[in-house]
Amino acid sequence: MSEAGKTGPRWVQRGAQRWALWLPLALFAGFVVLAVVGMVRPGNREVASAMIGKPVPGFTLPPAIDGRPGLSSQDFRGGQPVLLNVFASWCIPCAVEAPQLENLRRQGVPIFGVAIRDRKDHVAAFLALNGNPFARIGADDVSAVQLALGSSGVPETFVVDGHGVIRYQHIGEIRPDQVPMILQKLREAGR
């Protein structure tokens, strides 16, 4: 039997070799395109969280910075809806959302913060640079509260009603065009 008969014609062999070289690159390029489209596509950041409709888990956190009180689950039972923002000084999207949090604070929204795996001096420097909209900030050094809330990253923001029940979870930074929606979620939590 000839050499071509064992493995097929040479042109088929060369074509298969070319595909073998280009296939990984084509698959990687397809993955990159899907990832970029997923990141930049405006979409609904509302999550069907398992915590929606459940009370804030029990916790007590020490202050993340000097001059602001720490945070506990009891602080959410004041009768008025609040925002709970999970953030970190090392988080770039957290700095991007800082003006929106300040805007919400100026509109009278109480905002509590949970600083994730951070140091007091780093949190203080971050707030000095980006503004401090938080009435209270707890230091979650081991992400225990973050995980108990069902938060998988930073930033994440929760609307908590006046009885301490989570009503909404927003993943990622709050963008300027999303401020009215957050205000609406707070109004709904106050009913």
mmCIF file of all heavy atoms in Angstrom, residues 14-67:
data_model
loop_
_atom_site.group_PDB
_atom_site.id
_atom_site.type_symbol
_atom_site.label_atom_id
_atom_site.label_comp_id
_atom_site.label_asym_id
_atom_site.label_seq_id
_atom_site.Cartn_x
_atom_site.Cartn_y
_atom_site.Cartn_z
ATOM 1 N N ARG A 14 -1.832 18.170 4.963
ATOM 2 C CA ARG A 14 -1.434 19.569 5.164
ATOM 3 C C ARG A 14 -2.606 20.404 5.661
ATOM 4 O O ARG A 14 -2.456 21.258 6.513
ATOM 5 C CB ARG A 14 -0.866 20.137 3.859
ATOM 6 C CG ARG A 14 0.590 19.756 3.678
ATOM 7 C CD ARG A 14 1.191 20.461 2.493
ATOM 8 N NE ARG A 14 1.502 19.414 1.534
ATOM 9 C CZ ARG A 14 1.156 19.388 0.269
ATOM 10 N NH1 ARG A 14 0.500 20.379 -0.252
ATOM 11 N NH2 ARG A 14 1.478 18.386 -0.501
ATOM 12 N N GLY A 15 -3.806 20.137 5.152
ATOM 13 C CA GLY A 15 -4.988 20.878 5.604
ATOM 14 C C GLY A 15 -5.279 20.613 7.073
ATOM 15 O O GLY A 15 -5.619 21.515 7.833
ATOM 16 N N ALA A 16 -5.125 19.373 7.481
ATOM 17 C CA ALA A 16 -5.359 19.017 8.886
ATOM 18 C C ALA A 16 -4.311 19.670 9.780
ATOM 19 O O ALA A 16 -4.619 20.128 10.887
ATOM 20 C CB ALA A 16 -5.339 17.500 9.053
ATOM 21 N N GLN A 17 -3.075 19.750 9.305
ATOM 22 C CA GLN A 17 -2.026 20.396 10.097
ATOM 23 C C GLN A 17 -2.320 21.888 10.257
ATOM 24 O O GLN A 17 -2.117 22.445 11.328
ATOM 25 C CB GLN A 17 -0.663 20.193 9.429
ATOM 26 C CG GLN A 17 -0.154 18.771 9.541
ATOM 27 C CD GLN A 17 1.108 18.556 8.726
ATOM 28 O OE1 GLN A 17 1.448 19.329 7.837
ATOM 29 N NE2 GLN A 17 1.799 17.467 9.040
ATOM 30 N N ARG A 18 -2.804 22.522 9.204
ATOM 31 C CA ARG A 18 -3.138 23.950 9.295
ATOM 32 C C ARG A 18 -4.266 24.171 10.295
ATOM 33 O O ARG A 18 -4.226 25.077 11.105
ATOM 34 C CB ARG A 18 -3.542 24.488 7.923
ATOM 35 C CG ARG A 18 -2.378 24.686 7.025
ATOM 36 C CD ARG A 18 -2.788 25.398 5.753
ATOM 37 N NE ARG A 18 -1.709 25.345 4.810
ATOM 38 C CZ ARG A 18 -1.792 24.930 3.573
ATOM 39 N NH1 ARG A 18 -2.945 24.551 3.080
ATOM 40 N NH2 ARG A 18 -0.738 24.905 2.798
ATOM 41 N N TRP A 19 -5.298 23.330 10.230
ATOM 42 C CA TRP A 19 -6.410 23.450 11.190
ATOM 43 C C TRP A 19 -5.916 23.248 12.610
ATOM 44 O O TRP A 19 -6.344 23.935 13.543
ATOM 45 C CB TRP A 19 -7.511 22.440 10.882
ATOM 46 C CG TRP A 19 -8.530 22.983 9.943
ATOM 47 C CD1 TRP A 19 -8.699 22.645 8.640
ATOM 48 C CD2 TRP A 19 -9.518 23.957 10.237
ATOM 49 N NE1 TRP A 19 -9.725 23.353 8.095
ATOM 50 C CE2 TRP A 19 -10.253 24.179 9.074
ATOM 51 C CE3 TRP A 19 -9.851 24.683 11.375
ATOM 52 C CZ2 TRP A 19 -11.294 25.070 8.995
ATOM 53 C CZ3 TRP A 19 -10.891 25.584 11.306
ATOM 54 C CH2 TRP A 19 -11.601 25.765 10.124
ATOM 55 N N ALA A 20 -5.030 22.291 12.794
ATOM 56 C CA ALA A 20 -4.499 22.018 14.132
ATOM 57 C C ALA A 20 -3.748 23.228 14.675
ATOM 58 O O ALA A 20 -3.764 23.490 15.873
ATOM 59 C CB ALA A 20 -3.590 20.795 14.104
ATOM 60 N N LEU A 21 -3.099 23.982 13.795
ATOM 61 C CA LEU A 21 -2.383 25.192 14.230
ATOM 62 C C LEU A 21 -3.339 26.342 14.536
ATOM 63 O O LEU A 21 -3.140 27.081 15.493
ATOM 64 C CB LEU A 21 -1.396 25.632 13.152
ATOM 65 C CG LEU A 21 -0.174 24.746 12.973
ATOM 66 C CD1 LEU A 21 0.635 25.205 11.763
ATOM 67 C CD2 LEU A 21 0.684 24.756 14.223
ATOM 68 N N TRP A 22 -4.373 26.522 13.745
ATOM 69 C CA TRP A 22 -5.257 27.691 13.863
ATOM 70 C C TRP A 22 -6.435 27.482 14.802
ATOM 71 O O TRP A 22 -7.015 28.451 15.297
ATOM 72 C CB TRP A 22 -5.770 28.115 12.485
ATOM 73 C CG TRP A 22 -4.679 28.727 11.677
ATOM 74 C CD1 TRP A 22 -3.963 28.148 10.688
ATOM 75 C CD2 TRP A 22 -4.153 30.045 11.829
ATOM 76 N NE1 TRP A 22 -3.020 29.008 10.196
ATOM 77 C CE2 TRP A 22 -3.126 30.204 10.893
ATOM 78 C CE3 TRP A 22 -4.443 31.113 12.678
ATOM 79 C CZ2 TRP A 22 -2.390 31.367 10.766
ATOM 80 C CZ3 TRP A 22 -3.715 32.280 12.547
ATOM 81 C CH2 TRP A 22 -2.700 32.396 11.611
ATOM 82 N N LEU A 23 -6.824 26.254 15.055
ATOM 83 C CA LEU A 23 -7.993 25.989 15.888
ATOM 84 C C LEU A 23 -7.876 26.569 17.308
ATOM 85 O O LEU A 23 -8.792 27.254 17.763
ATOM 86 C CB LEU A 23 -8.292 24.488 15.939
ATOM 87 C CG LEU A 23 -9.554 24.107 16.708
ATOM 88 C CD1 LEU A 23 -10.793 24.743 16.075
ATOM 89 C CD2 LEU A 23 -9.690 22.601 16.765
ATOM 90 N N PRO A 24 -6.753 26.378 18.018
ATOM 91 C CA PRO A 24 -6.669 26.977 19.360
ATOM 92 C C PRO A 24 -6.766 28.502 19.328
ATOM 93 O O PRO A 24 -7.413 29.107 20.182
ATOM 94 C CB PRO A 24 -5.305 26.524 19.882
ATOM 95 C CG PRO A 24 -4.978 25.305 19.088
ATOM 96 C CD PRO A 24 -5.616 25.517 17.746
ATOM 97 N N LEU A 25 -6.152 29.118 18.342
ATOM 98 C CA LEU A 25 -6.222 30.579 18.225
ATOM 99 C C LEU A 25 -7.653 31.033 17.931
ATOM 100 O O LEU A 25 -8.140 32.001 18.529
ATOM 101 C CB LEU A 25 -5.278 31.072 17.121
ATOM 102 C CG LEU A 25 -5.227 32.587 16.929
ATOM 103 C CD1 LEU A 25 -4.760 33.274 18.212
ATOM 104 C CD2 LEU A 25 -4.323 32.940 15.774
ATOM 105 N N ALA A 26 -8.342 30.323 17.068
ATOM 106 C CA ALA A 26 -9.734 30.677 16.753
ATOM 107 C C ALA A 26 -10.629 30.505 17.979
ATOM 108 O O ALA A 26 -11.488 31.349 18.259
ATOM 109 C CB ALA A 26 -10.246 29.818 15.592
ATOM 110 N N LEU A 27 -10.444 29.442 18.734
ATOM 111 C CA LEU A 27 -11.235 29.230 19.947
ATOM 112 C C LEU A 27 -10.955 30.318 20.979
ATOM 113 O O LEU A 27 -11.877 30.845 21.612
ATOM 114 C CB LEU A 27 -10.951 27.850 20.535
ATOM 115 C CG LEU A 27 -11.471 26.659 19.738
ATOM 116 C CD1 LEU A 27 -10.962 25.345 20.325
ATOM 117 C CD2 LEU A 27 -12.989 26.669 19.681
ATOM 118 N N PHE A 28 -9.688 30.676 21.151
ATOM 119 C CA PHE A 28 -9.333 31.729 22.098
ATOM 120 C C PHE A 28 -9.927 33.067 21.660
ATOM 121 O O PHE A 28 -10.482 33.803 22.486
ATOM 122 C CB PHE A 28 -7.813 31.844 22.229
ATOM 123 C CG PHE A 28 -7.388 32.936 23.164
ATOM 124 C CD1 PHE A 28 -7.546 32.792 24.538
ATOM 125 C CD2 PHE A 28 -6.852 34.116 22.679
ATOM 126 C CE1 PHE A 28 -7.171 33.795 25.405
ATOM 127 C CE2 PHE A 28 -6.480 35.129 23.534
ATOM 128 C CZ PHE A 28 -6.633 34.971 24.910
ATOM 129 N N ALA A 29 -9.856 33.387 20.387
ATOM 130 C CA ALA A 29 -10.432 34.645 19.883
ATOM 131 C C ALA A 29 -11.944 34.670 20.115
ATOM 132 O O ALA A 29 -12.500 35.698 20.511
ATOM 133 C CB ALA A 29 -10.118 34.815 18.395
ATOM 134 N N GLY A 30 -12.608 33.548 19.902
ATOM 135 C CA GLY A 30 -14.048 33.479 20.162
ATOM 136 C C GLY A 30 -14.364 33.712 21.626
ATOM 137 O O GLY A 30 -15.309 34.422 21.973
ATOM 138 N N PHE A 31 -13.562 33.146 22.515
ATOM 139 C CA PHE A 31 -13.746 33.353 23.949
ATOM 140 C C PHE A 31 -13.560 34.825 24.313
ATOM 141 O O PHE A 31 -14.343 35.382 25.085
ATOM 142 C CB PHE A 31 -12.755 32.484 24.737
ATOM 143 C CG PHE A 31 -12.735 32.804 26.198
ATOM 144 C CD1 PHE A 31 -13.758 32.378 27.028
ATOM 145 C CD2 PHE A 31 -11.703 33.554 26.743
ATOM 146 C CE1 PHE A 31 -13.751 32.677 28.376
ATOM 147 C CE2 PHE A 31 -11.689 33.863 28.081
ATOM 148 C CZ PHE A 31 -12.715 33.430 28.902
ATOM 149 N N VAL A 32 -12.535 35.459 23.775
ATOM 150 C CA VAL A 32 -12.282 36.879 24.059
ATOM 151 C C VAL A 32 -13.455 37.735 23.593
ATOM 152 O O VAL A 32 -13.912 38.632 24.318
ATOM 153 C CB VAL A 32 -10.954 37.341 23.416
ATOM 154 C CG1 VAL A 32 -10.803 38.849 23.447
ATOM 155 C CG2 VAL A 32 -9.775 36.667 24.111
ATOM 156 N N VAL A 33 -13.967 37.468 22.409
ATOM 157 C CA VAL A 33 -15.109 38.233 21.896
ATOM 158 C C VAL A 33 -16.308 38.081 22.822
ATOM 159 O O VAL A 33 -16.962 39.061 23.183
ATOM 160 C CB VAL A 33 -15.458 37.797 20.452
ATOM 161 C CG1 VAL A 33 -16.802 38.339 20.016
ATOM 162 C CG2 VAL A 33 -14.367 38.243 19.492
ATOM 163 N N LEU A 34 -16.616 36.869 23.246
ATOM 164 C CA LEU A 34 -17.744 36.641 24.153
ATOM 165 C C LEU A 34 -17.535 37.350 25.492
ATOM 166 O O LEU A 34 -18.466 37.936 26.044
ATOM 167 C CB LEU A 34 -17.949 35.150 24.390
ATOM 168 C CG LEU A 34 -18.540 34.369 23.231
ATOM 169 C CD1 LEU A 34 -18.552 32.875 23.544
ATOM 170 C CD2 LEU A 34 -19.943 34.852 22.910
ATOM 171 N N ALA A 35 -16.327 37.316 26.007
ATOM 172 C CA ALA A 35 -16.041 37.975 27.288
ATOM 173 C C ALA A 35 -16.205 39.481 27.180
ATOM 174 O O ALA A 35 -16.815 40.118 28.043
ATOM 175 C CB ALA A 35 -14.631 37.624 27.757
ATOM 176 N N VAL A 36 -15.690 40.071 26.110
ATOM 177 C CA VAL A 36 -15.798 41.525 25.927
ATOM 178 C C VAL A 36 -17.252 41.931 25.744
ATOM 179 O O VAL A 36 -17.717 42.901 26.350
ATOM 180 C CB VAL A 36 -14.930 41.990 24.734
ATOM 181 C CG1 VAL A 36 -15.238 43.427 24.349
ATOM 182 C CG2 VAL A 36 -13.453 41.833 25.072
ATOM 183 N N VAL A 37 -17.999 41.212 24.949
ATOM 184 C CA VAL A 37 -19.414 41.524 24.743
ATOM 185 C C VAL A 37 -20.165 41.431 26.073
ATOM 186 O O VAL A 37 -20.981 42.287 26.407
ATOM 187 C CB VAL A 37 -20.043 40.589 23.686
ATOM 188 C CG1 VAL A 37 -21.558 40.668 23.694
ATOM 189 C CG2 VAL A 37 -19.500 40.917 22.308
ATOM 190 N N GLY A 38 -19.869 40.433 26.880
ATOM 191 C CA GLY A 38 -20.521 40.280 28.173
ATOM 192 C C GLY A 38 -20.194 41.403 29.134
ATOM 193 O O GLY A 38 -21.016 41.801 29.950
ATOM 194 N N MET A 39 -18.985 41.965 29.043
ATOM 195 C CA MET A 39 -18.586 43.032 29.955
ATOM 196 C C MET A 39 -19.139 44.389 29.548
ATOM 197 O O MET A 39 -19.471 45.195 30.406
ATOM 198 C CB MET A 39 -17.061 43.111 30.043
ATOM 199 C CG MET A 39 -16.475 41.951 30.814
ATOM 200 S SD MET A 39 -14.713 42.105 31.171
ATOM 201 C CE MET A 39 -13.999 42.525 29.611
ATOM 202 N N VAL A 40 -19.211 44.674 28.264
ATOM 203 C CA VAL A 40 -19.609 46.013 27.833
ATOM 204 C C VAL A 40 -21.089 46.130 27.491
ATOM 205 O O VAL A 40 -21.601 47.233 27.392
ATOM 206 C CB VAL A 40 -18.769 46.502 26.629
ATOM 207 C CG1 VAL A 40 -17.309 46.573 26.987
ATOM 208 C CG2 VAL A 40 -18.974 45.628 25.415
ATOM 209 N N ARG A 41 -21.753 45.025 27.324
ATOM 210 C CA ARG A 41 -23.169 45.060 26.973
ATOM 211 C C ARG A 41 -23.971 45.616 28.145
ATOM 212 O O ARG A 41 -23.886 45.098 29.256
ATOM 213 C CB ARG A 41 -23.656 43.663 26.635
ATOM 214 C CG ARG A 41 -25.125 43.603 26.267
ATOM 215 C CD ARG A 41 -25.555 42.204 26.011
ATOM 216 N NE ARG A 41 -25.244 41.410 27.197
ATOM 217 C CZ ARG A 41 -25.398 40.116 27.283
ATOM 218 N NH1 ARG A 41 -25.838 39.451 26.271
ATOM 219 N NH2 ARG A 41 -25.105 39.469 28.386
ATOM 220 N N PRO A 42 -24.726 46.692 27.903
ATOM 221 C CA PRO A 42 -25.554 47.174 29.008
ATOM 222 C C PRO A 42 -26.617 46.132 29.300
ATOM 223 O O PRO A 42 -27.227 45.587 28.399
ATOM 224 C CB PRO A 42 -26.169 48.464 28.465
ATOM 225 C CG PRO A 42 -26.093 48.336 26.986
ATOM 226 C CD PRO A 42 -24.924 47.428 26.685
ATOM 227 N N GLY A 43 -26.756 45.850 30.553
ATOM 228 C CA GLY A 43 -27.725 44.825 30.881
ATOM 229 C C GLY A 43 -28.305 45.034 32.252
ATOM 230 O O GLY A 43 -27.930 45.939 32.981
ATOM 231 N N ASN A 44 -29.181 44.189 32.579
ATOM 232 C CA ASN A 44 -29.825 44.221 33.872
ATOM 233 C C ASN A 44 -28.874 43.606 34.886
ATOM 234 O O ASN A 44 -28.448 42.479 34.735
ATOM 235 C CB ASN A 44 -31.118 43.415 33.795
ATOM 236 C CG ASN A 44 -31.919 43.496 35.055
ATOM 237 O OD1 ASN A 44 -31.483 44.065 36.044
ATOM 238 N ND2 ASN A 44 -33.104 42.932 35.014
ATOM 239 N N ARG A 45 -28.528 44.347 35.914
ATOM 240 C CA ARG A 45 -27.625 43.841 36.943
ATOM 241 C C ARG A 45 -28.406 43.329 38.142
ATOM 242 O O ARG A 45 -27.852 43.160 39.203
ATOM 243 C CB ARG A 45 -26.632 44.922 37.350
ATOM 244 C CG ARG A 45 -25.667 45.238 36.242
ATOM 245 C CD ARG A 45 -24.533 46.057 36.754
ATOM 246 N NE ARG A 45 -23.591 46.303 35.702
ATOM 247 C CZ ARG A 45 -22.346 45.870 35.717
ATOM 248 N NH1 ARG A 45 -21.891 45.180 36.711
ATOM 249 N NH2 ARG A 45 -21.545 46.151 34.732
ATOM 250 N N GLU A 46 -29.679 43.120 37.957
ATOM 251 C CA GLU A 46 -30.479 42.562 39.039
ATOM 252 C C GLU A 46 -30.223 41.063 39.091
ATOM 253 O O GLU A 46 -30.164 40.385 38.077
ATOM 254 C CB GLU A 46 -31.952 42.841 38.806
ATOM 255 C CG GLU A 46 -32.792 42.557 40.003
ATOM 256 C CD GLU A 46 -34.146 43.210 39.941
ATOM 257 O OE1 GLU A 46 -34.314 44.194 39.210
ATOM 258 O OE2 GLU A 46 -35.040 42.713 40.622
ATOM 259 N N VAL A 47 -30.074 40.573 40.291
ATOM 260 C CA VAL A 47 -29.707 39.188 40.494
ATOM 261 C C VAL A 47 -30.820 38.478 41.245
ATOM 262 O O VAL A 47 -31.405 39.040 42.164
ATOM 263 C CB VAL A 47 -28.401 39.121 41.321
ATOM 264 C CG1 VAL A 47 -28.048 37.699 41.672
ATOM 265 C CG2 VAL A 47 -27.280 39.776 40.568
ATOM 266 N N ALA A 48 -31.086 37.264 40.881
ATOM 267 C CA ALA A 48 -32.047 36.460 41.624
ATOM 268 C C ALA A 48 -31.294 35.819 42.785
ATOM 269 O O ALA A 48 -31.049 34.625 42.811
ATOM 270 C CB ALA A 48 -32.667 35.410 40.722
ATOM 271 N N SER A 49 -30.907 36.650 43.747
ATOM 272 C CA SER A 49 -30.110 36.205 44.875
ATOM 273 C C SER A 49 -30.954 35.366 45.829
ATOM 274 O O SER A 49 -32.131 35.643 46.049
ATOM 275 C CB SER A 49 -29.562 37.421 45.626
ATOM 276 O OG SER A 49 -29.005 37.035 46.862
ATOM 277 N N ALA A 50 -30.319 34.397 46.430
ATOM 278 C CA ALA A 50 -30.999 33.579 47.432
ATOM 279 C C ALA A 50 -31.302 34.383 48.684
ATOM 280 O O ALA A 50 -32.122 33.978 49.502
ATOM 281 C CB ALA A 50 -30.133 32.371 47.778
ATOM 282 N N MET A 51 -30.658 35.544 48.846
ATOM 283 C CA MET A 51 -30.847 36.361 50.045
ATOM 284 C C MET A 51 -32.000 37.351 49.915
ATOM 285 O O MET A 51 -32.415 37.933 50.920
ATOM 286 C CB MET A 51 -29.550 37.105 50.376
ATOM 287 C CG MET A 51 -28.413 36.194 50.826
ATOM 288 S SD MET A 51 -28.820 35.197 52.281
ATOM 289 C CE MET A 51 -28.951 36.449 53.532
ATOM 290 N N ILE A 52 -32.520 37.559 48.704
ATOM 291 C CA ILE A 52 -33.625 38.493 48.538
ATOM 292 C C ILE A 52 -34.819 37.980 49.355
ATOM 293 O O ILE A 52 -35.209 36.824 49.253
ATOM 294 C CB ILE A 52 -34.018 38.650 47.052
ATOM 295 C CG1 ILE A 52 -32.827 39.121 46.208
ATOM 296 C CG2 ILE A 52 -35.209 39.594 46.900
ATOM 297 C CD1 ILE A 52 -32.271 40.468 46.563
ATOM 298 N N GLY A 53 -35.377 38.885 50.184
ATOM 299 C CA GLY A 53 -36.503 38.524 51.023
ATOM 300 C C GLY A 53 -36.113 37.918 52.361
ATOM 301 O O GLY A 53 -36.975 37.564 53.158
ATOM 302 N N LYS A 54 -34.814 37.798 52.606
ATOM 303 C CA LYS A 54 -34.330 37.242 53.872
ATOM 304 C C LYS A 54 -33.645 38.327 54.686
ATOM 305 O O LYS A 54 -33.113 39.293 54.146
ATOM 306 C CB LYS A 54 -33.358 36.092 53.614
ATOM 307 C CG LYS A 54 -34.029 34.909 52.953
ATOM 308 C CD LYS A 54 -33.093 33.753 52.810
ATOM 309 C CE LYS A 54 -33.852 32.596 52.156
ATOM 310 N NZ LYS A 54 -32.975 31.538 51.764
ATOM 311 N N PRO A 55 -33.615 38.161 56.007
ATOM 312 C CA PRO A 55 -32.941 39.155 56.842
ATOM 313 C C PRO A 55 -31.435 39.169 56.614
ATOM 314 O O PRO A 55 -30.846 38.147 56.239
ATOM 315 C CB PRO A 55 -33.252 38.714 58.270
ATOM 316 C CG PRO A 55 -34.117 37.526 58.191
ATOM 317 C CD PRO A 55 -34.242 37.099 56.767
ATOM 318 N N VAL A 56 -30.844 40.321 56.852
ATOM 319 C CA VAL A 56 -29.390 40.432 56.827
ATOM 320 C C VAL A 56 -28.851 39.424 57.846
ATOM 321 O O VAL A 56 -29.365 39.352 58.961
ATOM 322 C CB VAL A 56 -28.957 41.874 57.192
ATOM 323 C CG1 VAL A 56 -27.454 41.960 57.391
ATOM 324 C CG2 VAL A 56 -29.413 42.860 56.140
ATOM 325 N N PRO A 57 -27.854 38.632 57.475
ATOM 326 C CA PRO A 57 -27.316 37.657 58.432
ATOM 327 C C PRO A 57 -26.761 38.367 59.675
ATOM 328 O O PRO A 57 -26.295 39.493 59.589
ATOM 329 C CB PRO A 57 -26.186 36.968 57.662
ATOM 330 C CG PRO A 57 -26.294 37.417 56.263
ATOM 331 C CD PRO A 57 -27.174 38.601 56.198
ATOM 332 N N GLY A 58 -26.800 37.685 60.795
ATOM 333 C CA GLY A 58 -26.289 38.266 62.027
ATOM 334 C C GLY A 58 -24.779 38.451 61.990
ATOM 335 O O GLY A 58 -24.051 37.535 61.635
ATOM 336 N N PHE A 59 -24.321 39.647 62.342
ATOM 337 C CA PHE A 59 -22.882 39.925 62.391
ATOM 338 C C PHE A 59 -22.621 41.187 63.204
ATOM 339 O O PHE A 59 -23.509 42.011 63.417
ATOM 340 C CB PHE A 59 -22.289 40.077 60.988
ATOM 341 C CG PHE A 59 -22.760 41.304 60.238
ATOM 342 C CD1 PHE A 59 -22.096 42.522 60.366
ATOM 343 C CD2 PHE A 59 -23.863 41.247 59.404
ATOM 344 C CE1 PHE A 59 -22.535 43.648 59.669
ATOM 345 C CE2 PHE A 59 -24.305 42.355 58.707
ATOM 346 C CZ PHE A 59 -23.639 43.561 58.837
ATOM 347 N N THR A 60 -21.393 41.330 63.632
ATOM 348 C CA THR A 60 -20.892 42.553 64.252
ATOM 349 C C THR A 60 -19.474 42.754 63.732
ATOM 350 O O THR A 60 -18.629 41.871 63.894
ATOM 351 C CB THR A 60 -20.869 42.443 65.791
ATOM 352 O OG1 THR A 60 -22.205 42.212 66.246
ATOM 353 C CG2 THR A 60 -20.335 43.712 66.426
ATOM 354 N N LEU A 61 -19.249 43.901 63.073
ATOM 355 C CA LEU A 61 -17.932 44.211 62.517
ATOM 356 C C LEU A 61 -17.345 45.430 63.220
ATOM 357 O O LEU A 61 -18.054 46.406 63.469
ATOM 358 C CB LEU A 61 -18.039 44.502 61.017
ATOM 359 C CG LEU A 61 -18.464 43.349 60.110
ATOM 360 C CD1 LEU A 61 -18.640 43.829 58.676
ATOM 361 C CD2 LEU A 61 -17.440 42.221 60.155
ATOM 362 N N PRO A 62 -16.040 45.403 63.480
ATOM 363 C CA PRO A 62 -15.395 46.581 64.059
ATOM 364 C C PRO A 62 -15.300 47.699 63.019
ATOM 365 O O PRO A 62 -15.456 47.449 61.816
ATOM 366 C CB PRO A 62 -14.003 46.059 64.438
ATOM 367 C CG PRO A 62 -13.743 44.956 63.462
ATOM 368 C CD PRO A 62 -15.094 44.321 63.208
ATOM 369 N N PRO A 63 -15.029 48.930 63.453
ATOM 370 C CA PRO A 63 -14.899 50.035 62.501
ATOM 371 C C PRO A 63 -13.763 49.787 61.503
ATOM 372 O O PRO A 63 -12.697 49.302 61.877
ATOM 373 C CB PRO A 63 -14.575 51.245 63.384
ATOM 374 C CG PRO A 63 -14.987 50.862 64.759
ATOM 375 C CD PRO A 63 -14.862 49.364 64.838
ATOM 376 N N ALA A 64 -13.999 50.145 60.245
ATOM 377 C CA ALA A 64 -12.972 50.003 59.212
ATOM 378 C C ALA A 64 -12.034 51.200 59.204
ATOM 379 O O ALA A 64 -10.921 51.103 58.680
ATOM 380 C CB ALA A 64 -13.613 49.833 57.840
ATOM 381 N N ILE A 65 -12.489 52.330 59.755
ATOM 382 C CA ILE A 65 -11.658 53.532 59.858
ATOM 383 C C ILE A 65 -11.963 54.211 61.187
ATOM 384 O O ILE A 65 -13.012 53.990 61.790
ATOM 385 C CB ILE A 65 -11.899 54.537 58.706
ATOM 386 C CG1 ILE A 65 -13.359 55.015 58.700
ATOM 387 C CG2 ILE A 65 -11.490 53.964 57.365
ATOM 388 C CD1 ILE A 65 -13.619 56.213 57.809
ATOM 389 N N ASP A 66 -11.054 55.054 61.624
ATOM 390 C CA ASP A 66 -11.297 55.854 62.810
ATOM 391 C C ASP A 66 -12.308 56.940 62.465
ATOM 392 O O ASP A 66 -12.331 57.456 61.349
ATOM 393 C CB ASP A 66 -9.991 56.484 63.299
ATOM 394 C CG ASP A 66 -8.984 55.430 63.760
ATOM 395 O OD1 ASP A 66 -9.421 54.378 64.261
ATOM 396 O OD2 ASP A 66 -7.769 55.671 63.599
ATOM 397 N N GLY A 67 -13.161 57.251 63.403
ATOM 398 C CA GLY A 67 -14.117 58.336 63.204
ATOM 399 C C GLY A 67 -15.473 57.903 62.668
ATOM 400 O O GLY A 67 -16.382 58.726 62.570
#
